[in-house]
Each structure stands twice: as structure tokens, then as C-alpha cells.
Amino acid sequence: MFAPRGTPENVISLVSSAFKEAVLSPEFKAKAIELGVLPVGGSPMDLQRLMNEEAKTWSKVIKDNNIKAD
């Protein structure tokens, strides 16, 4: 889940906590897994780390394979 730049930290914290609780609820987890999605709840910093790691990984794949957007 993402929020616009400049969203107050208290709002991010509140929404993050509610979202994590919902994602990790037994009902949501069961439905998500049934649909082939791995439900993971974490902090905003966890998401930032994941996004940074993914950007690094896929940037290398794109560069190494000379992939271009048409």
C-alpha cells in the first residue's frame, strides 16, 4: 500500500497498522492464498527496503539484457 508524498507520519502509522491487521487476519490470509497471493504485513520501512531491493534487482536485469521500452 502506498500513500502520497507528504502524508503525515501519524496518518501513515494509523493506516499501516490497520492494513497490517487486516492482511494478517485469518479470513483475508485464507482468501489471498486461495487466489495465489502471499499476504505479508510489515512496516512502511519494510516496504521501502523491499522496493529498493526490487529496483536494484530489476535494474540489473534490464541493463544486462538491454531491455528497452517501446
Side-chain angles (χ1 to χ4, degrees):
M1 176 177 253
F2 296 90
R5 184 181 309 247
T7 301
E9 286 297 320
N10 64 325
V11 173
I12 290 175
S13 179
L14 180 67
V15 171
S16 176
S17 293
F19 188 75
K20 182 177 179 180
E21 183 179 330
V23 166
L24 297 178
S25 72
E27 299 85 5
F28 184 91
K29 279 182 85 168
K31 188 63 174 178
I33 291 168
E34 177 185 320
L35 295 172
V37 177
L38 178 61
V40 178
S43 72
M45 291 308 297
D46 293 335
L47 177 58
Q48 184 63 56
R49 275 191 296 278
L50 175 65
M51 296 299 296
N52 290 342
E53 291 168 8
E54 289 292 305
K56 183 178 177 182
T57 297
W58 290 107
S59 292
K60 181 174 176 12
V61 169
I62 290 166
K63 183 178 179 185
D64 290 352
N65 292 283
N66 197 32
I67 297 171
K68 305 284 186 208
D70 291 335

